[in-house]
Amino acid sequence: MTYCLGIITRSGLVIAADSRTNAGVDYISTYRKLFDFSVTGERVIIICTSGNLAITQSVITALERDIENQTETNLHTLNSFYDIAHYVGSKIREVQERDRPWLERDNIDYKCSLLLGGQLPGEKHKLYLVYPQGNFIQATKETPFIQIGETKYGKPILDRTLSYETHLEAVAKCALLSIDSTMKSNLSVGPPINLVMYERDTLVLRHRLQLRLGAPYLAKMRKLWEESLRQAFDAMPNLEWEYGDETDDIFLD
Amino acid sequence: MTYCLGIITRSGLVIAADSRTNAGVDYISTYRKLFDFSVTGERVIIICTSGNLAITQSVITALERDIENQTETNLHTLNSFYDIAHYVGSKIREVQERDRPWLERDNIDYKCSLLLGGQLPGEKHKLYLVYPQGNFIQATKETPFIQIGETKYGKPILDRTLSYETHLEAVAKCALLSIDSTMKSNLSVGPPINLVMYERDTLVLRHRLQLRLGAPYLAKMRKLWEESLRQAFDAMPNLEWEYGDETDDIFLD
């Protein structure tokens, strides 16, 4: 499994991914899932991948090849993020078209989802989710994050703390905690964690970070976070229990 | 969907459940899922249900009927919790045997899981998970909680804060937050929340609580918790970003 997360706020983007892949519990490997296609000072394009690894690697390779071969349409020539999302979706469709029948007849999951974020000159910074079918949606102010892969464990912390106005450094900590929560609760998501933070309108990806297993910051953060949660429990008033036998309306007669 | 949670610690048990059922997003109802079969001063038996509502209601009715009819084997005559788990499993098997073929041929999910906790005289307090197949497992000190239904959203807070030694009042707050997190992130889990706390060796269920939608305590707790999370972010050191262009080992060449 995989967990990738993109968050968009007024001041920029935070995008993060774990690095674990598994085919069953007895074949677990490490593969990068966060890819940087930026051109410093000109455009910022980050892509994260989840789903069938053979499919997502083929999609990433197709995107790279078009850049190398200077094809007319590629990630470095397109002039709007909408067109980039459409182009990335078309690459997914090409690979699916080629491989899907062979996987389907052996009941192998051929699906993949991509997370796509960044900024082009003359546009706002943007965040997209590209579906296995090649269609896509864009994150908005109302729901300023997109998750792909093993999304449930890491969602409560986002729902409780994030908004479009949250400060970018706080967003980065929140993203890391969301991934760490998922790693802690589900073995199929694991380090290293790759994380990038983009300040809007700079067109330069200045902040990047890789946290390996046992990274001191990760251990320190986890300890601090768990202490904070326990303190938060203690600070909360105790439950106001209903004593006595008046239980007819709650429990079985 | 449903979310039920049982936690066992050195000093007792906390068991909680939401009350939402849904058949698709356009048919959402409220049904109780926490049932008290205790006999004050003699035995404490709490059962929570998840899965197909027709199946779980039939199972609960079968358990009630055996008590009413004073059948030789029922929840009030059995002398060990292991036997109670086995007996509850056999009721699941009976209902499945009767209804499963009719549901299966229309592709309706017939599965159900039960959470079973309490204490009988002469035994320790215990917590079991009874599977749709009627077999069961018991919670141990190493993993002192059992979840059924929509379990992922509420798991990180348990993984991060709970142990067998946690104080029972703190456990109750943790259980409530675990359910509240799930409600906030997933519409298919909803109030009222039913929650009970049992102090071991008392054989009396003294602490019970029902929190309806908009209950002041629930709103207060949610507000306090979200403030605490934000303060915890602020207290955490900022990420130690890797600046510069040395990105070859992390990102695509």
Side-chain angles (χ1 to χ4, degrees):
Chain A
M1 206 61 184
T2 290
Y3 179 36
C4 305
L5 169 63
I7 303 168
I8 187 164
T9 71
R10 185 173 299 284
S11 48
L13 289 161
V14 168
I15 298 175
D18 83 313
S19 303
R20 186 159 289 174
T21 65
N22 66 302
V25 290
D26 55 350
Y27 191 72
I28 290 181
S29 319
T30 300
Y31 285 92
R32 192 199 312 151
K33 299 169 196 170
L34 189 152
F35 302 91
D36 179 11
F37 289 95
S38 305
V39 182
T40 300
E42 294 178 19
R43 55 179 62 207
V44 169
I45 302 171
I46 300 291
I47 295 177
C48 291
T49 60
S50 77
N52 182 300
L53 185 64
I55 299 272
T56 60
Q57 286 191 340
S58 285
V59 171
I60 294 293
T61 303
L63 296 173
E64 289 181 291
R65 279 196 173 170
D66 279 0
I67 295 172
E68 281 163 20
N69 298 337
Q70 304 188 336
T71 323
E72 197 182 331
T73 299
N74 71 49
L75 289 176
H76 292 172
T77 61
L78 286 161
N79 288 320
S80 86
F81 239 87
Y82 182 92
D83 292 336
I84 285 184
H86 181 73
Y87 162 73
V88 169
S90 74
K91 290 296 171 191
I92 292 178
R93 288 174 180 169
E94 277 173 29
V95 178
Q96 295 270 10
E97 194 75 5
R98 186 190 70 191
D99 288 349
R100 179 169 164 168
W102 299 84
L103 300 173
E104 212 163 19
R105 68 185 190 187
D106 282 342
N107 287 319
I108 295 169
D109 191 355
Y110 51 82
K111 293 216 177 66
C112 74
S113 297
L114 267 63
L115 204 154
L116 170 67
Q119 188 172 22
L120 300 191
E123 285 194 342
K124 288 188 174 170
H125 55 301
K126 293 186 178 174
L127 181 64
Y128 283 90
L129 165 60
V130 188
Y131 290 110
Q133 294 74 26
N135 57 338
F136 49 90
I137 57 167
Q138 188 185 345
T140 59
K141 289 179 190 177
E142 292 71 31
T143 307
F145 60 86
I146 286 177
Q147 304 170 287
I148 56 176
E150 182 58 76
T151 61
K152 292 186 178 185
Y153 301 103
K155 188 164 182 283
I157 196 172
L158 307 177
D159 283 331
R160 288 206 194 262
T161 62
L162 271 192
S163 84
Y164 192 69
E165 306 301 333
T166 309
H167 188 277
L168 213 49
E169 283 281 358
V171 169
K173 289 188 240 177
C174 180
L176 194 57
L177 283 165
S178 176
I179 293 195
D180 188 61
S181 294
T182 309
M183 291 197 317
K184 180 141 186 169
S185 290
N186 188 318
L187 268 186
S188 76
V189 172
I193 299 170
N194 289 308
L195 197 144
V196 299
M197 179 170 91
Y198 170 65
E199 292 165 302
R200 73 162 199 197
D201 301 338
T202 61
L203 299 180
V204 179
L205 193 64
R206 286 214 184 85
H207 301 81
R208 53 186 81 204
L209 180 58
Q210 185 177 58
L211 291 165
R212 297 185 181 280
L213 184 65
Y217 180 85
L218 204 57
K220 188 168 69 177
M221 185 211 66
R222 187 176 275 196
K223 190 159 167 282
L224 265 171
W225 185 248
E226 292 176 5
E227 277 167 15
S228 299
L229 294 187
R230 276 191 221 101
Q231 283 168 11
F233 281 149
D234 294 343
M236 268 170 52
N238 276 352
L239 296 183
E240 293 150 13
W241 299 102
E242 296 149 14
Y243 296 95
D245 290 327
E246 294 166 35
T247 62
D248 289 352
D249 59 334
I250 318 184
F251 297 97
L252 277 179
D253 299 334
Chain B
M1 206 63 186
T2 290
Y3 179 37
C4 305
L5 168 63
I7 303 168
I8 186 164
T9 72
R10 183 173 301 282
S11 47
L13 289 162
V14 169
I15 298 176
D18 84 313
S19 302
R20 185 158 291 172
T21 65
N22 67 301
V25 289
D26 54 351
Y27 192 73
I28 290 181
S29 318
T30 300
Y31 285 92
R32 193 197 312 152
K33 300 170 196 168
L34 189 152
F35 302 91
D36 179 11
F37 290 94
S38 304
V39 181
T40 300
E42 293 179 20
R43 55 179 61 207
V44 169
I45 302 172
I46 300 291
I47 295 178
C48 291
T49 60
S50 77
N52 182 301
L53 184 65
I55 298 271
T56 59
Q57 286 191 340
S58 286
V59 171
I60 294 293
T61 303
L63 296 172
E64 289 181 291
R65 279 196 174 170
D66 279 1
I67 294 172
E68 282 163 18
N69 299 337
Q70 303 188 338
T71 324
E72 197 181 332
T73 299
N74 71 49
L75 289 176
H76 292 173
T77 60
L78 286 162
N79 287 321
S80 87
F81 239 87
Y82 182 91
D83 292 337
I84 285 184
H86 182 72
Y87 162 71
V88 169
S90 74
K91 291 295 173 191
I92 293 178
R93 288 175 180 168
E94 277 173 29
V95 179
Q96 295 273 7
E97 194 75 6
R98 185 190 71 191
D99 288 349
R100 178 169 165 167
W102 299 84
L103 301 174
E104 211 162 20
R105 69 184 188 185
D106 283 340
N107 287 317
I108 296 169
D109 191 355
Y110 50 83
K111 294 215 176 66
C112 74
S113 297
L114 268 64
L115 203 154
L116 170 68
Q119 188 170 21
L120 299 191
E123 285 194 343
K124 288 189 175 170
H125 55 302
K126 293 187 178 173
L127 180 65
Y128 282 89
L129 165 60
V130 188
Y131 290 109
Q133 294 75 25
N135 57 338
F136 50 89
I137 58 168
Q138 188 184 346
T140 59
K141 289 180 190 178
E142 293 71 31
T143 306
F145 61 86
I146 285 177
Q147 304 170 287
I148 56 176
E150 182 59 76
T151 61
K152 292 186 177 185
Y153 301 103
K155 188 165 182 283
I157 196 171
L158 307 176
D159 283 330
R160 288 209 193 262
T161 62
L162 272 191
S163 84
Y164 191 70
E165 307 301 334
T166 308
H167 189 275
L168 213 47
E169 283 280 359
V171 169
K173 291 190 240 176
C174 181
L176 193 57
L177 283 165
S178 176
I179 292 195
D180 187 60
S181 294
T182 308
M183 290 198 316
K184 179 141 185 169
S185 290
N186 188 319
L187 268 187
S188 77
V189 173
I193 300 171
N194 288 309
L195 197 143
V196 299
M197 180 169 91
Y198 170 66
E199 292 166 302
R200 73 162 200 197
D201 301 339
T202 61
L203 299 180
V204 179
L205 194 63
R206 285 213 185 85
H207 301 82
R208 52 185 80 204
L209 180 58
Q210 183 176 60
L211 290 166
R212 296 186 182 279
L213 183 63
Y217 180 84
L218 204 57
K220 187 167 72 177
M221 184 212 67
R222 188 178 275 198
K223 189 160 167 284
L224 265 171
W225 184 248
E226 292 177 5
E227 276 168 15
S228 299
L229 293 188
R230 276 191 221 101
Q231 283 168 11
F233 280 149
D234 294 343
M236 267 171 55
N238 276 351
L239 295 183
E240 293 150 12
W241 299 102
E242 295 149 15
Y243 296 94
D245 290 327
E246 292 166 36
T247 62
D248 289 353
D249 59 333
I250 318 183
F251 296 98
L252 276 179
D253 298 335

